[in-house]
Amino acid sequence: MATFSILFLILLEACASPENPKALKVAFFLNENAALDELAITSATNYINNYAATQYALNFVLAPRIYRIKKSEIYNVGNLACDALREGIAAIFGPENGEANEIIQSMALSLEIPQFQTFWNPNFATYAGLGTANKKEIFNFNLYPSPSVLSKAFATLVRENDWRSYTIIYENDDGLVRLQEVLKALSPNNPLVTYRKLGPEPDHRPVFKEIVASGALHIILDCEADHTIDILSQAKEVKLFEEYHTYLLTSLDAYTIDFRQLGEIKTNVSIVRMLDQKVVDTVIGNWELVDSERKLKIPNKLIKVKTAFLFDALNLFITAYSNLDQEQEMDVRPQSCDTNEISSHGYRLSAFIPLLNMTKGMLGEPISGSLNFNSLGQRVSLKLEVLELRKDEFRVTGIWDSGTPHSIYSTITSADREKELEQQLKGRTFRVVSRIYPPYLSRKPGIDSSVMSGNNAFEGYAMDLMKGICELYECNYVFELVPDNNYGKYDPKTKEWNGLIRHLLDRKADLAICDLTTTYERRKAVDFSNPFMTLGISILYTKIVKEPPDLLAFTNPLSLHVWLYMVTAYMVISMIIFLVARLNPNEWENPHPCNPNPEELENIWNIKNCFWLTLGSIMQQGCDILPKGISTRMVAGMWWFFTLIMISCYTANLAAFLTQSRMGPTIQSAEDLAAQTKIKYGCLKDGATASFFRDTNVTTYHKMWVAMETADPSVFETSNDDGVKRVISKKGKYAFLMESSSIEYEVEKHCELVQVGNRLDTKGYGIAMPTNAPYRTSINQAILKMQEMGRLQRLKEKWWKEKNKANTCKKDEDSKTDSANELSLAHVGGVFVVLVVGMSIAMVIAVCEFLWHVRKIAVTQHVALKEVFLKELRFAMDIWCRQKPANPAANLNLSRETLRQGD
Ligand code: GLU
């Protein structure tokens, strides 16, 4: 091939006879296997010599000299350059290799030959800087965008995508220079950024597995375009190239990669492209035009940036040269490496190039955009298209321009994006993980408890919610149960999650739906949708059971002791009155007031009367006889005072006792719970409620947490169901802190339970999904729609009330009784009983008195007992007879006569 190029050059030179235009020699230093570059050079040369020459009336023909540098012959590059210089070259293009370039770059600088570089050269500025330290002029130009400009584009992209944590995978240290601005944007110790260098070994899977284990989702991959497929297929094998991953490829050649080789791609892959596809198409059209004889066809989508840069460099050079040549003929002379003689044309050309700011050249528009250089010869203006991979094809989603480096102009509206996402959901089957806890999810009747998946096995709110979402997007779903039946708790020791969260992190499910609370800690591990239900922690407790009042309820206001003391006091006081009255002379009275000098005095305070006085006063009725002496009055007065206080206390307490059953539970709030120790309280062991109490700053709740933690036996339960059972069985001795929505359901189901107090906090249940899930926005929108349409409310009604079969509480009756104020017979029944018993005893005593009286008459009158009894009874029953003879014998005779008349 080298021989071919030299022959080609000799041929061109031969053509450049005095009557023919002179040959303008340029040197290209290419790597091996640079067929496309060669084709670009030949095509451009042909185009210039055949078309542009006539169009622009050029007085030279382009004569390229191509040198291919084998890797093993880098040491020889200086000699090749000296050969080229001896020929008299106007410019040098290349080489592409860093080490070879160092030699050529310094030669170009010292011999003042314009050199055009087309590769990523992080050391370019250093060398150019060395040059400018001695000279003001620059002779090296690099068409590859300057590292600082390119890295700004990546930094903006990362920021606009809102990546807070990501992993940088890079092949060599140059990659980190390319990403310097991305790294600068972060705080130096940001732990959320991880760096992984790919080793020299072809197997990168161990590194990728580590990245998978770290849970990284956003990845910046800096590698050669040719290595990308190999790297990504390894990543795919270890599940680092999944639906939830987002990749940013930094290679400017990434658009040439055929991603179909990776099979089905669900990953979000973004790349940047520098070449304007329209311009490429036109230019390639021209190439095909000039190469129609050689029938060479270049797939225009496979043009790599280095070829484009080479083409653009040639365009830049030839345009600048012909402009200057037309002003004043350029003089290109052979040079020698031995003499270090500087070129005669280089200074003029190099000074002119930065001023050109070329947007259109002799070969048309530059394929890689306008060509502007800074004082070091670095390319500074840059326009990049941001492309996204969609079904193994790229489409432009934004434009980044170095003029406005801090923003990306989006070419896709958010409405378009939403539509696309909806389209993606069509026909998709979601794997939904959940746990059994009615009414959110329960097994259908007759389903064995070993069944762990399948939509036909379960029913509940969660299933209906998913059904509603899928009706909107025409998607499908399959429910399965989480094996450990946990919600999701992080263990700081093992640094592992359990339950539903773990299932999502392991990518075993796309969504988790149940009574799963959105918490800050969980949000760090997975994403949550908007809440589909709002709730707060509250207290589940038993209703105070109204026991039927007992018969002697009226005795309750005073304790048994008090009653006994009162009876004793009653008897003792009666006796004291009796004794005091006997001692007190004022109580000895004249029985016949008409007789001023009676022979005897009488005392009315016999035992019977004493007891009657004390009884009358305790019953608040008074007595027809009252003491007259000071001491007896003193005793009576003190007794009255005692009864006044006792009766007042009794009355007041009686009212309290009779209304007590209508009062609510003994605890009204969390503060009440915290302030006592009799009623134990607990919550679900590893749930959001426990986290709330553990992490709270509120003193009362913290105090409650300490009480819960130190309680023995443990007050924590492994499921809400167990908590509910404990509240029921402990009958007021245990309260369960639970989420209000679940309390509502349990209260509907168990009439003896009640929610006590207000909510302690406000939070929501959300649908959990792996971080970065592309369907998150769609799920959010579906929830909002269902909320606005009232479907969420209807679902709640359905599962909390209609389907809550155990709901047997007769609320109406309860509330009626509750609102009633009157006392029932049960409350005052005992009083009636006392009355009846009292009356019965009175009747018995009356009968005894009567019989005693009959016996007395029979004894005194010497009449048969039976006869007296009958006569006295007949008289007593004759209710019209209101008078009775004082002498019992008269009554007896009267009866005998009456009897005789009757015979
Ligand atoms: N919904 C809670 C959670 O997601 C479980 C119930 C509770 O902690 O009260 O962890």
Side-chain angles (χ1 to χ4, degrees):
M1 206 61 177
T3 345
F4 167 78
S5 304
I6 293 162
L7 281 176
F8 181 68
L9 198 72
I10 293 167
L11 204 71
L12 277 171
E13 276 178 65
C15 296
S17 60
E19 56 274 14
N20 287 330
K22 62 179 177 184
L24 175 64
K25 293 173 224 161
V26 287
F28 290 91
F29 290 90
L30 302 181
N31 283 352
E32 298 169 282
N33 308 323
L36 262 182
D37 294 351
E38 263 184 55
L39 182 61
I41 295 164
T42 347
S43 305
T45 311
N46 285 347
Y47 184 82
I48 291 163
N49 294 344
N50 297 335
Y51 296 89
T54 3
Q55 200 183 339
Y56 296 97
L58 300 180
N59 63 358
F60 59 84
V61 284
L62 188 65
R65 287 206 65 175
I66 298 176
Y67 299 93
R68 257 161 248 100
I69 308 170
K70 289 185 189 156
K71 261 197 175 164
S72 53
E73 289 177 5
I74 286 174
Y75 65 90
N76 198 28
V77 75
N79 292 337
L80 291 178
C82 289
D83 288 351
L85 287 166
R86 264 194 295 277
E87 300 290 338
I89 48 167
I92 300 174
F93 297 83
E96 297 169 29
N97 178 292
E99 290 156 27
N101 179 68
E102 278 178 27
I103 301 168
I104 304 268
Q105 183 168 343
S106 56
M107 283 175 78
L109 190 63
S110 55
L111 298 176
E112 298 193 358
I113 301 280
Q115 185 219 4
F116 299 92
Q117 298 176 13
T118 55
F119 73 108
W120 169 254
N121 184 1
N123 301 326
F124 177 82
T126 325
Y127 285 105
L130 280 179
T132 48
N134 310 323
K135 302 182 176 189
K136 277 196 183 141
E137 308 79 37
I138 47 162
F139 295 92
N140 310 97
F141 301 92
N142 194 343
L143 275 84
Y144 205 102
S146 94
S148 61
V149 177
L150 190 57
S151 64
K152 256 184 211 150
F154 294 128
T156 307
L157 210 55
V158 168
R159 206 190 50 243
E160 295 268 302
N161 283 332
D162 202 18
W163 289 8
R164 296 202 185 134
S165 94
Y166 49 86
T167 300
I168 298 175
I169 303 177
Y170 60 102
E171 262 187 326
N172 51 49
D173 297 341
D174 285 355
L176 292 182
V177 182
R178 221 178 334 259
L179 294 167
Q180 57 180 299
E181 290 293 324
V182 181
L183 304 178
K184 260 195 236 165
L186 298 164
S187 74
N189 303 323
N190 196 334
L192 303 175
V193 179
T194 338
Y195 307 87
R196 298 282 172 167
K197 187 172 180 175
L198 298 177
E201 300 297 320
D203 186 5
H204 308 303
R205 276 167 288 217
V207 179
F208 292 162
K209 276 184 192 158
E210 280 172 31
I211 301 175
V212 172
S214 75
L217 293 168
H218 303 302
I219 289 158
I220 301 179
L221 176 61
D222 186 275
C223 68
E224 289 218 8
D226 296 342
H227 303 165
T228 308
I229 290 297
D230 175 43
I231 291 172
L232 290 185
S233 51
Q234 291 189 33
K236 200 173 177 187
E237 265 178 54
V238 297
K239 297 208 180 322
L240 187 60
F241 195 67
E242 296 288 293
E243 184 174 14
Y244 315 104
H245 292 119
T246 319
Y247 276 75
L248 171 62
L249 308 190
T250 56
S251 167
L252 291 180
D253 285 328
Y255 64 92
T256 60
I257 302 166
D258 183 5
F259 281 88
R260 281 171 300 190
Q261 298 171 60
L262 291 171
E264 199 198 351
I265 298 172
K266 287 187 181 166
T267 321
N268 183 340
V269 182
S270 295
I271 61 161
V272 289
R273 183 171 64 186
M274 218 180 139
L275 309 189
D276 185 330
Q277 195 57 46
K278 271 189 223 137
V279 184
V280 173
D281 291 345
T282 329
V283 171
I284 300 300
N286 289 341
W287 289 3
E288 277 165 14
L289 185 76
V290 293
D291 265 311
S292 52
E293 290 149 37
R294 292 166 65 189
K295 298 273 180 274
L296 258 173
K297 203 157 167 58
I298 306 161
N300 44 2
K301 291 231 165 73
L302 294 185
I303 295 283
K304 291 200 172 161
V305 283
K306 68 166 186 152
T307 311
F309 293 153
L310 196 63
F311 186 84
D312 285 347
L314 190 54
N315 194 359
L316 174 69
F317 162 75
I318 206 75
T319 310
Y321 185 91
S322 67
N323 274 353
L324 292 176
D325 195 46
Q326 264 158 23
E327 263 175 33
Q328 188 193 339
E329 200 181 336
M330 295 285 283
D331 178 26
V332 182
R333 290 194 210 135
Q335 288 169 270
S336 159
C337 293
D338 308 328
T339 56
N340 266 355
E341 185 193 348
I342 56 167
S343 75
S344 51
H345 69 286
Y347 175 73
R348 233 183 114 199
L349 202 57
S350 300
F352 182 63
I353 286 173
L355 306 176
L356 200 55
N357 288 337
M358 194 181 88
T359 48
K360 189 157 171 66
M362 196 179 277
L363 295 174
E365 275 181 60
I367 314 175
S368 59
S370 62
L371 299 166
N372 306 315
F373 298 89
N374 64 11
S375 57
L376 293 175
Q378 289 174 301
R379 186 168 183 179
V380 281
S381 74
L382 177 62
K383 198 171 172 182
L384 293 173
E385 284 176 335
V386 182
L387 286 86
E388 234 176 61
L389 188 63
R390 244 172 74 80
K391 290 192 182 147
D392 58 59
E393 281 213 341
F394 283 109
R395 54 106 185 242
V396 182
T397 58
I399 311 271
W400 180 86
D401 196 317
S402 54
T404 52
H406 301 301
S407 63
I408 288 178
Y409 169 74
S410 179
T411 51
I412 292 198
T413 63
S414 50
D416 290 343
R417 267 205 190 276
E418 278 167 25
K419 253 189 215 149
E420 271 173 22
L421 286 173
E422 284 179 20
Q423 282 299 314
Q424 281 169 20
L425 293 193
K426 213 171 182 174
R428 181 191 166 127
T429 303
F430 283 101
R431 293 165 301 157
V432 186
V433 66
S434 188
R435 64 188 292 281
I436 296 284
Y437 179 50
Y440 305 98
L441 196 77
S442 52
R443 284 198 176 82
K444 279 186 182 167
I447 298 291
D448 193 32
S449 62
S450 59
V451 177
M452 294 296 281
S453 63
N455 293 352
N456 294 333
F458 309 112
E459 59 179 7
Y461 181 94
M463 273 203 124
D464 281 1
L465 177 65
M466 195 59 212
K467 190 171 160 206
I469 293 172
C470 276
E471 270 168 19
L472 292 173
Y473 297 126
E474 297 175 33
C475 56
N476 305 310
Y477 56 93
V478 184
F479 265 75
E480 61 178 280
L481 298 182
V482 61
D484 65 4
N485 202 35
N486 281 315
Y487 288 94
K489 189 185 180 223
Y490 182 69
D491 184 344
K493 277 187 206 140
T494 57
K495 295 198 174 13
E496 300 250 353
W497 283 90
N498 68 6
L500 298 163
I501 305 292
R502 175 69 192 258
H503 214 70
L504 290 177
L505 290 175
D506 289 348
R507 307 282 180 261
K508 289 183 184 158
D510 303 315
L511 300 171
I513 314 181
C514 66
D515 53 326
L516 184 67
T517 314
T518 310
T519 62
Y520 174 69
E521 201 176 27
R522 287 177 184 162
R523 178 64 190 78
K524 285 193 274 182
V526 294
D527 263 348
F528 278 91
S529 69
N530 291 342
F532 57 81
M533 202 179 277
T534 41
L535 52 120
I537 298 172
S538 197
I539 305 165
L540 181 74
Y541 194 51
T542 35
K543 281 181 191 164
I544 291 296
V545 187
K546 293 179 204 160
E547 286 184 8
D550 64 34
L551 202 61
L552 298 179
F554 66 90
T555 62
N556 290 349
L558 300 180
S559 71
L560 180 65
H561 282 108
V562 178
W563 281 119
L564 289 177
Y565 280 123
M566 269 183 70
V567 171
T568 318
Y570 166 67
M571 293 203 279
V572 170
I573 298 296
S574 303
M575 292 303 292
I576 289 174
I577 291 180
F578 174 71
L579 287 175
V580 171
R582 287 196 71 80
L583 293 174
N584 193 322
N586 289 329
E587 297 300 340
W588 294 96
E589 286 180 337
N590 180 1
H592 308 290
C594 304
N595 181 4
N597 298 312
E599 285 177 13
E600 289 178 334
L601 292 177
E602 195 184 53
N603 194 328
I604 55 166
W605 294 111
N606 56 19
I607 284 287
K608 237 166 50 182
N609 283 349
C610 290
F611 273 89
W612 184 240
L613 172 73
T614 44
L615 189 70
S617 40
I618 207 167
M619 292 297 176
Q620 310 272 290
Q621 298 306 315
C623 184
D624 47 353
I625 51 166
L626 291 168
K628 288 192 181 116
I630 295 176
S631 56
T632 42
R633 281 184 177 172
M634 184 75 190
V635 176
M638 282 300 106
W639 175 245
W640 289 340
F641 173 75
F642 172 78
T643 54
L644 175 77
I645 302 298
M646 289 312 288
I647 297 300
S648 307
C649 293
Y650 175 81
T651 317
N653 238 12
L654 182 68
F657 265 75
L658 291 177
T659 49
Q660 191 187 38
S661 58
R662 282 192 295 282
M663 277 158 46
T666 44
I667 48 160
Q668 306 282 351
S669 62
E671 282 74 18
D672 288 353
L673 264 188
Q676 54 80 56
T677 51
K678 269 190 187 161
I679 304 167
K680 297 276 172 231
Y681 47 89
C683 64
L684 188 77
K685 201 165 156 231
D686 289 336
T689 305
S691 312
F692 167 82
F693 282 102
R694 192 189 55 224
D695 304 335
T696 185
N697 289 332
V698 182
T699 324
T700 311
Y701 305 150
H702 180 70
K703 191 175 157 192
M704 288 174 79
W705 176 246
V706 174
M708 284 193 262
E709 269 204 316
T710 49
D712 187 26
S714 170
V715 287
F716 295 108
E717 290 294 342
T718 45
S719 72
N720 275 345
D721 274 340
D722 290 346
V724 172
K725 278 184 202 148
R726 190 158 167 185
V727 173
I728 295 172
S729 65
K730 291 282 172 188
K731 293 201 171 111
K733 295 267 161 19
Y734 181 77
F736 194 57
L737 292 150
M738 200 173 165
E739 284 162 338
S740 56
S741 51
S742 304
I743 292 185
E744 278 168 42
Y745 178 76
E746 299 297 349
V747 165
E748 287 282 336
K749 202 163 141 187
H750 305 282
C751 311
E752 64 271 47
L753 296 181
V754 68
Q755 173 176 340
V756 172
N758 296 330
R759 296 175 183 183
L760 273 51
D761 62 348
T762 306
K763 50 198 175 188
Y765 294 150
I767 299 181
M769 60 197 94
T771 313
N772 213 18
Y775 42 81
R776 181 169 172 233
T777 323
S778 311
I779 299 277
N780 274 344
Q781 278 170 357
I783 287 175
L784 276 182
K785 258 188 215 163
M786 287 177 75
Q787 203 164 31
E788 279 166 19
M789 283 155 52
R791 282 194 69 174
L792 292 184
Q793 189 54 36
R794 280 206 296 281
L795 278 187
K796 192 159 180 215
E797 287 282 320
K798 176 180 166 186
W799 288 102
W800 264 249
K801 301 226 154 89
E802 294 157 29
K803 291 262 181 178
N804 199 352
K805 292 188 195 108
N807 175 11
T808 49
C809 305
K810 293 174 202 113
K811 288 226 176 66
D812 293 350
E813 280 178 26
D814 275 7
S815 52
K816 231 193 253 167
T817 9
D818 273 0
S819 66
N821 269 330
E822 67 266 18
L823 296 175
S824 66
L825 182 64
H827 291 102
V828 287
V831 188
F832 284 91
V833 172
V834 171
L835 185 65
V836 170
V837 172
M839 289 307 113
S840 310
I841 295 172
M843 288 303 288
V844 172
I845 293 173
V847 170
C848 295
E849 279 178 338
F850 176 74
L851 290 177
W852 185 251
H853 177 65
V854 168
R855 186 193 160 273
K856 227 162 83 183
I857 295 173
V859 171
T860 52
Q861 301 299 319
H862 305 288
V863 186
L865 194 66
K866 188 182 168 193
E867 192 183 339
V868 180
F869 176 78
L870 286 173
K871 276 187 187 145
E872 283 294 317
L873 186 67
R874 203 171 288 146
F875 179 79
M877 290 299 117
D878 181 3
I879 56 167
W880 303 115
C881 183
R882 296 183 62 85
Q883 277 163 359
K884 191 180 180 185
N887 182 2
N891 192 21
L892 212 59
N893 291 339
L894 185 72
S895 306
R896 270 188 200 146
E897 265 167 33
T898 321
L899 281 172
R900 225 176 280 135
Q901 280 166 14
D903 290 344

